[in-house]
Amino acid sequence: MKTTMFCFFLLFTALAGAQVVTIPDANFKAKLLSATTSNNVARDEYGNSIVIDVNGDNNIQQTEALLVYKLKVEEAAISSLEGVQFFNSLRELECNENNLTVLNVSGLDYLEAVECADNQLTELDFSENPSLTELICSNNNLTYINLKNGALHSAATTGINEWNNNPLAFVCTDEGEAAIVNTIAAASGLTDVNTNGYCSFTPGGAYNTITGSVIFDADADGCDTTDVPQRFMKVHSTDGTQSCITFTSATGNYKFYPYTGTYTVTPEFENNYFTATPASATAAFMLLDNSVQTHNFCVTATPTAYSDVEIVMVPIVHAVPGEMASYKMVYKNKGNQVVSGAVSCTWNTALFNNVNTIPAADYAGISLYSWNYTNLKPFESREIIINLNVNGSSNNPPVNTGDVISFTAMAPVGTDALPADNNFVFNQTVVSATNPNNITCIEGETQATSDIGDYLHYVINFKNTGTSTVQNIVITYPVDQDDFDINTLELLNSSLPVTATITGNNAEFVFPNANLMQGKHGNLLIKVKTKSTITQGTHVASRANIYYDYQQPLETNLATTVFGELSTGNFEVDASVKVYPNPAKDTVIISADTAITSIEIYDIQGRLLQTDMPDNNSTTLNIANRATGIYFVKITTTNGSKIEKIIKQ
């Protein structure tokens, strides 16, 4: 019995080793069978010309294919190279001047160079060839090449990389390869090639993964299946030298793609209202072998209770006379307590001839709309869409280009830890037309010097103006680290599912499988603090790049904000000056310890609107006829002066 089993094993092994490679294309098979020790169709690991069909059975066994290190099958009227994937030792492939429309070399891990010029190829994908660094593919009909394989492509051109005479539109590359590819494209006479890594959203070649969830323990009994993972939670990863930040997805998951090394992963919070268990996690990778480590974090509220709600008024479609304008109110519970209440928004309703909100307002009055909300959980954000038909120049009252429309969004909470962000004033300048792919600093073009070091809010709007559905969208947002603290960047709202990462001075927002149809639009809301070290007169600017599938990126406008200060003369600051209530609707009371000699009101652009000279320790300022919005009040007393920002409701 043992002898029979042993013989069977030997027979099975022999049969397995003699498996024949299926090669459907007769011309390809004939070319392989024609290999001799002198014609260089095939070469071995030493560069010697070899016979492939060693046993002479007019077939190619897998064992025979493994002996081939270089394959030259040119000018043979070959239409398909199916079967080449069994040449697993292959380093070089030359298949020029054939009839190939598809070239599939996936799985050839050692393949370093391909020559496939003078065929009929439209696409090339080398993402599964982690050694490939050289490509000659001139005189095809190529529009797309995928070189995102984890290998640094050679920058050599003549005789190494030649891509001439192709309508090439997009080359997908590994990180840091764009300059190399652009050099090759230029040397090949290609001037309009888009180069980036957005054909996929994981690294090319081998990599490792750190993943997990961030869950808020809402009932304070430990994280379990009843607790919900949180979106837009910031998670930081570092190996001690390089750092990366990501934000959790809509399902509360995060991912990093590290290489080898030891990484510390830490959830980060905007304030000190929460703690995480564990506070951080360590992930160590000795090899680059597609390993995955999972580290989940359970977030709990600190013993001290904090109520903290913020609200932002966001322009989605800008105001143009006679057209529809759209806005979004985003309110978020930043505190560690569940809250209920109401949010509201005021604007001059006479400037619009129709109002539509989603959801419908619970209260709609003259210039005031209000929405009730209940059980807004920590980290939870909600939104309200407001669509308004802007008056034209012939309406009464007319709205003209250059007019400023003011909105005040409010989310008051009984005892708020940071009441300053319970109100948000947005002053929008009416325009004659707008680019739908744009960025806006919602605070405006001017900020007081006292606001240095605070958050600026940016909305990035994007719209598919093409003729077909866009599958993937990527927004890159480079941050000037002289002016902004990129570590304070927070992702507040997105109209589509998004994954976000921050590396170096660049934030990247990816909308995979967005499927944005022609004419449809989306938006992204972020906030970031300016550095406290910038000075009066500093202009801070932001711009974004929007990638639609494989097209060249669209560059948005430059959103610029200047930090200025109203003139205070040579007076000392009078800290005794008080201005209240703020916000206010009709009147503001101003008081000081000494006589108030003058009061000056300035608008958000710094224009002087009104001057009063009360000569009293207390006075009432009438603002009933002012438009809703932000104003600066300069109060001068016999002891000095003070500038206060007031909000007119």
Side-chain angles (χ1 to χ4, degrees):
M1 183 66 172
K2 290 182 180 179
T3 303
T4 304
M5 290 295 293
F6 179 68
C7 291
F8 175 77
F9 177 74
L10 289 177
L11 177 62
F12 177 80
T13 303
L15 290 173
Q19 287 182 336
V20 173
V21 177
T22 300
I23 303 172
D25 189 291
N27 291 333
F28 180 35
K29 185 174 182 179
K31 191 69 173 179
L32 296 175
L33 293 174
S34 73
T36 69
T37 57
S38 60
N39 66 5
N40 296 328
V41 169
R43 293 177 183 267
D44 63 14
E45 60 180 315
Y46 305 107
N48 299 317
S49 185
I50 62 171
V51 173
I52 302 177
D53 183 17
V54 177
N55 64 6
D57 67 349
N58 287 323
N59 284 302
I60 307 298
Q61 274 72 41
Q62 291 184 19
T63 52
E64 294 171 333
L66 287 173
L67 299 176
V68 178
Y69 280 65
K70 182 177 180 179
L71 193 60
K72 187 174 184 179
V73 288
E74 299 179 322
E75 300 181 72
I78 298 170
S79 298
S80 170
L81 288 184
E82 184 178 342
V84 74
Q85 61 267 28
F86 291 99
F87 288 71
N88 291 314
S89 301
L90 202 61
R91 267 65 171 176
E92 298 179 39
L93 172 63
E94 297 180 19
C95 54
N96 302 307
E97 299 183 69
N98 282 294
N99 302 322
L100 297 173
T101 57
V102 175
L103 179 59
N104 181 5
V105 289
S106 59
L108 298 181
D109 292 346
Y110 304 106
L111 186 63
E112 299 170 355
V114 168
E115 292 186 22
C116 55
D118 298 287
N119 278 281
Q120 301 165 30
L121 300 166
T122 57
E123 294 185 357
L124 288 173
D125 186 349
F126 301 110
S127 60
E128 295 186 36
N129 304 109
S131 301
L132 190 129
T133 60
E134 300 176 9
L135 173 64
I136 294 178
C137 57
S138 301
N139 304 317
N140 278 280
N141 197 30
L142 290 167
T143 59
Y144 168 63
I145 301 174
N146 187 347
L147 296 177
K148 190 176 180 180
N149 59 2
L152 182 63
H153 205 81
S154 170
T157 53
T158 305
I160 302 297
N161 288 288
E162 297 177 4
W163 305 347
N164 308 68
N165 300 323
N166 283 294
L168 193 60
F170 178 54
V171 179
C172 191
T173 67
D174 293 297
E175 184 177 354
E177 264 186 350
I180 292 173
V181 169
N182 288 336
T183 297
I184 297 170
S188 300
L190 305 173
T191 58
D192 193 25
V193 179
N194 184 22
T195 304
N196 61 59
Y198 301 140
C199 58
S200 65
F201 302 111
T202 56
Y207 57 89
N208 297 311
T209 303
I210 305 172
T211 187
S213 298
V214 181
I215 302 172
F216 176 61
D217 181 15
D219 44 15
D221 63 350
C223 290
D224 53 34
T225 55
T226 63
D227 295 308
V228 179
Q230 301 298 315
R231 68 172 180 168
F232 301 160
M233 299 289 289
K234 185 185 290 185
V235 185
H236 179 266
S237 173
T238 181
D239 64 357
T241 302
Q242 295 181 319
S243 296
C244 180
I245 292 172
T246 191
F247 294 84
T248 54
S249 66
T251 58
N253 295 316
Y254 72 90
K255 284 186 178 180
F256 294 103
Y257 300 106
Y259 295 103
T260 56
T262 300
Y263 298 83
T264 301
V265 182
T266 309
E268 296 183 345
F269 307 108
E270 184 180 344
N271 47 50
N272 60 355
Y273 307 158
F274 304 93
T275 59
T277 303
S280 62
T282 300
F285 299 96
M286 303 303 293
L287 300 173
L288 192 59
D289 58 357
N290 297 311
S291 296
V292 178
Q293 291 193 26
T294 301
H295 297 281
N296 298 321
F297 296 93
C298 181
V299 177
T300 56
T302 60
T304 304
Y306 293 96
S307 295
D308 189 0
V309 175
E310 69 173 331
I311 191 166
V312 185
M313 188 73 178
V314 184
I316 299 174
V317 178
H318 288 255
V320 176
E323 297 185 10
M324 175 75 76
S326 295
Y327 307 88
K328 180 190 290 188
M329 277 202 312
V330 177
Y331 58 103
K332 178 183 178 181
N333 184 357
K334 298 191 301 177
N336 58 20
Q337 304 297 303
V338 177
V339 293
S340 299
V343 296
S344 57
C345 189
T346 65
W347 66 87
N348 187 349
T349 52
L351 302 178
F352 305 92
N353 54 61
N354 187 34
V355 178
N356 172 260
T357 70
I358 305 171
D362 294 297
Y363 172 80
I366 299 176
S367 297
L368 176 66
Y369 285 72
S370 180
W371 296 260
N372 300 324
Y373 68 87
T374 58
N375 297 321
L376 186 67
K377 299 178 177 61
F379 303 110
E380 182 183 2
S381 65
R382 300 177 189 174
E383 65 182 42
I384 296 167
I385 303 296
I386 302 172
N387 298 312
L388 305 173
N389 284 330
V390 183
N391 286 357
S393 58
S394 60
N395 292 109
N396 185 25
V399 173
N400 298 298
T401 300
D403 290 349
V404 177
I405 304 173
S406 294
F407 299 84
T408 301
M410 294 163 284
V413 178
T415 305
D416 195 287
L418 293 172
D421 59 12
N422 293 162
N423 298 279
F424 196 98
V425 177
F426 170 54
N427 292 297
Q428 184 177 47
T429 300
V430 179
V431 295
S432 59
T434 183
N435 184 340
N437 293 282
N438 60 70
I439 184 171
T440 299
C441 177
I442 309 177
E443 278 77 7
E445 298 179 354
T446 307
Q447 280 288 87
T449 305
S450 58
D451 293 321
I452 289 174
D454 291 342
Y455 280 110
L456 290 178
H457 294 76
Y458 291 92
V459 58
I460 302 170
N461 291 304
F462 50 92
K463 181 179 180 179
N464 180 5
T465 58
T467 58
S468 59
T469 297
V470 174
Q471 181 179 0
N472 300 311
I473 302 168
V474 177
I475 296 175
T476 60
Y477 176 68
V479 176
D480 187 339
Q481 297 198 75
D482 290 334
D483 296 334
F484 294 97
D485 181 359
I486 195 169
N487 294 312
T488 66
L489 190 148
E490 298 286 342
L491 175 57
L492 298 181
N493 182 267
S494 176
S495 62
L496 297 170
V498 62
T499 59
T501 57
I502 301 172
T503 305
N505 71 325
N506 192 64
E508 185 177 84
F509 306 93
V510 177
F511 303 85
N513 301 313
N515 293 318
L516 191 68
M517 293 188 293
Q518 178 186 1
K520 298 299 182 180
H521 58 81
N523 48 79
L524 180 80
L525 176 64
I526 61 175
K527 67 179 182 179
V528 61
K529 284 184 176 181
T530 57
K531 285 192 171 178
S532 59
T533 52
I534 65 174
T535 58
Q536 177 181 333
T538 298
H539 290 72
V540 299
S542 289
R543 191 194 302 273
N545 298 295
I546 305 172
Y547 295 79
Y548 293 103
D549 284 335
Y550 305 147
Q551 300 175 23
Q552 292 280 7
L554 296 177
E555 188 176 66
T556 69
N557 57 295
L558 189 68
T560 303
T561 300
V562 60
F563 287 90
E565 188 67 90
L566 303 179
S567 173
T568 58
N570 297 317
F571 292 105
E572 298 292 329
V573 174
D574 187 345
S576 73
V577 172
K578 296 181 176 60
V579 178
Y580 59 94
N582 190 11
K585 291 183 65 177
D586 299 317
T587 59
V588 174
I589 298 172
I590 302 174
S591 65
D593 290 347
T594 59
I596 300 170
T597 58
S598 71
I599 298 172
E600 297 173 343
I601 304 178
Y602 295 82
D603 66 11
I604 193 71
Q605 282 79 34
R607 295 173 295 199
L608 179 63
L609 304 177
Q610 176 182 335
T611 301
D612 292 344
M613 304 180 72
D615 196 23
N616 204 318
N617 288 34
S618 180
T619 186
T620 298
L621 183 65
N622 188 346
I623 59 171
N625 294 326
R626 297 286 175 199
T628 57
I630 292 178
Y631 296 89
F632 295 100
V633 182
K634 178 184 175 183
I635 305 103
T636 303
T637 72
T638 55
N639 277 354
S641 66
K642 190 177 183 181
I643 296 173
E644 291 281 355
K645 180 172 71 175
I646 63 172
I647 299 172
K648 168 63 168 67
Q649 294 181 336

